[in-house]
Amino acid sequence: KNEVEQSPQNLTAQEGEFITINCSYSVGISALHWLQQHPGGGIVSLFMLSSGKKKHGRLIATINIQEKHSSLHITASHPRDSAVYICAGGGVSNFGNEKLTFGTGTRLTIIP
Amino acid sequence: DVKVTQSSRYLVKRTGEKVFLECVQDMDHENMFWYRQDPGLGLRLIYFSYDVKMKEKGDIPEGYSVSREKKERFSLILESASTNQTSMYLCASSPTGTGFLEQYFGPGTRLTVT
């Protein structure tokens, strides 16, 4: 069982819909990341948060430390939002560094 | 802007070949990482390096080695490629003091071993 679980694995929605992607983690973490991976492979960091909520444009990320749960929301979704969204928890590794544990990703497809 | 580049986007190699994957970053980052990404498994850490000539094993180092002779360059080496090493390989780097927490990723190399 992966220590970082995402749901849903796949999500298809119409342009304009409000999107929610969920991430639950079972490990102790100091920060949670949301990453975006477009077709072709490159990964871009969207958010890093350790409490509360962050907003960037149409993207909002929230985290509830007590419940070990984070959500990524996209308002007014657009076809260019189509990508794989990955959450990753930063924990403490055997080396004393904050090793990231990655979820398996949510593939989002926005239909025009 | 931080730029992390990888030598190839797509690579096809034969079983038993020695394979070099190169990664270069242009922001003087101290830390560099190699991951592989497989469907249903997410990204898994192969090796990382926190300084020139320094390396540490990640979660799945078997079958791989690395080289970091210069700060900006981190190479992943498959000594004898096998079909189970067919995967997407992603390199990342992070600034001094941030460890794993502020990683910038390259575009990835999709390696197929036949």
Side-chain angles (χ1 to χ4, degrees):
Chain A
K1 187 174 168 21
N2 201 7
E3 295 171 325
V4 177
E5 298 275 350
Q6 288 184 237
S7 63
Q9 288 188 319
N10 294 282
L11 178 58
T12 300
Q14 294 286 336
E15 183 174 354
E17 285 190 47
F18 181 82
I19 303 298
T20 296
I21 299 170
N22 296 300
C23 178
S24 297
Y25 52 94
S26 58
V27 294
I29 65 168
S30 58
L32 188 125
H33 301 251
W34 281 102
L35 309 164
Q36 181 190 57
Q37 185 175 30
H38 276 288
I43 292 177
V44 174
S45 178
L46 298 175
F47 296 103
M48 182 172 71
L49 66 165
S50 54
S51 65
K53 176 177 166 179
K54 284 191 176 181
K55 185 175 189 292
H56 181 68
R58 294 179 295 106
L59 273 60
I60 303 165
T62 63
I63 189 168
N64 184 318
I65 298 293
Q66 286 75 25
E67 294 185 5
K68 293 187 175 166
H69 181 269
S70 176
S71 293
L72 176 69
H73 305 286
I74 305 175
T75 62
S77 59
H78 190 276
R80 65 174 175 267
D81 298 325
S82 298
V84 175
Y85 292 84
I86 301 168
C87 71
V92 179
S93 76
N94 291 335
F95 315 111
N97 293 312
E98 300 278 338
K99 187 169 78 79
L100 290 181
T101 302
F102 294 84
T104 55
T106 295
R107 184 175 300 275
L108 174 66
T109 304
I110 303 297
I111 299 170
Chain B
D1 270 358
V2 175
K3 193 155 185 192
V4 180
T5 57
Q6 296 183 227
S7 50
S8 305
R9 294 300 302 274
Y10 301 93
L11 207 52
V12 180
K13 295 291 182 181
R14 292 197 181 276
T15 300
E17 278 194 78
K18 190 168 186 175
V19 181
F20 292 87
L21 302 182
E22 302 282 337
C23 175
V24 177
Q25 48 92 7
D26 66 357
M27 284 301 290
D28 200 35
H29 283 178
E30 183 178 75
N31 308 301
M32 296 188 75
F33 312 85
W34 274 108
Y35 294 92
R36 65 177 281 176
Q37 183 181 31
D38 300 289
L41 294 176
L43 276 79
R44 293 179 292 167
L45 181 66
I46 304 171
Y47 269 96
F48 68 101
S49 167
Y50 50 86
D51 202 352
V52 175
K53 296 192 186 294
M54 305 300 287
K55 61 186 179 185
E56 292 284 351
K57 293 180 180 178
D59 297 318
I60 51 163
E62 297 78 18
Y64 304 94
S65 62
V66 290
S67 171
R68 190 149 180 220
E69 296 296 319
K70 292 185 178 181
K71 192 173 186 179
E72 67 270 20
R73 189 179 297 269
F74 192 35
S75 302
L76 181 69
I77 303 154
L78 287 66
E79 294 289 342
S80 178
S82 64
T83 55
N84 63 13
Q85 293 178 309
T86 291
S87 186
M88 169 71 91
Y89 289 88
L90 288 149
C91 173
S93 70
S94 70
T96 303
T98 66
F100 289 79
L101 293 179
E102 192 181 325
Q103 294 185 48
Y104 297 84
F105 286 85
T109 295
R110 190 167 292 282
L111 172 67
T112 301
V113 183
T114 62

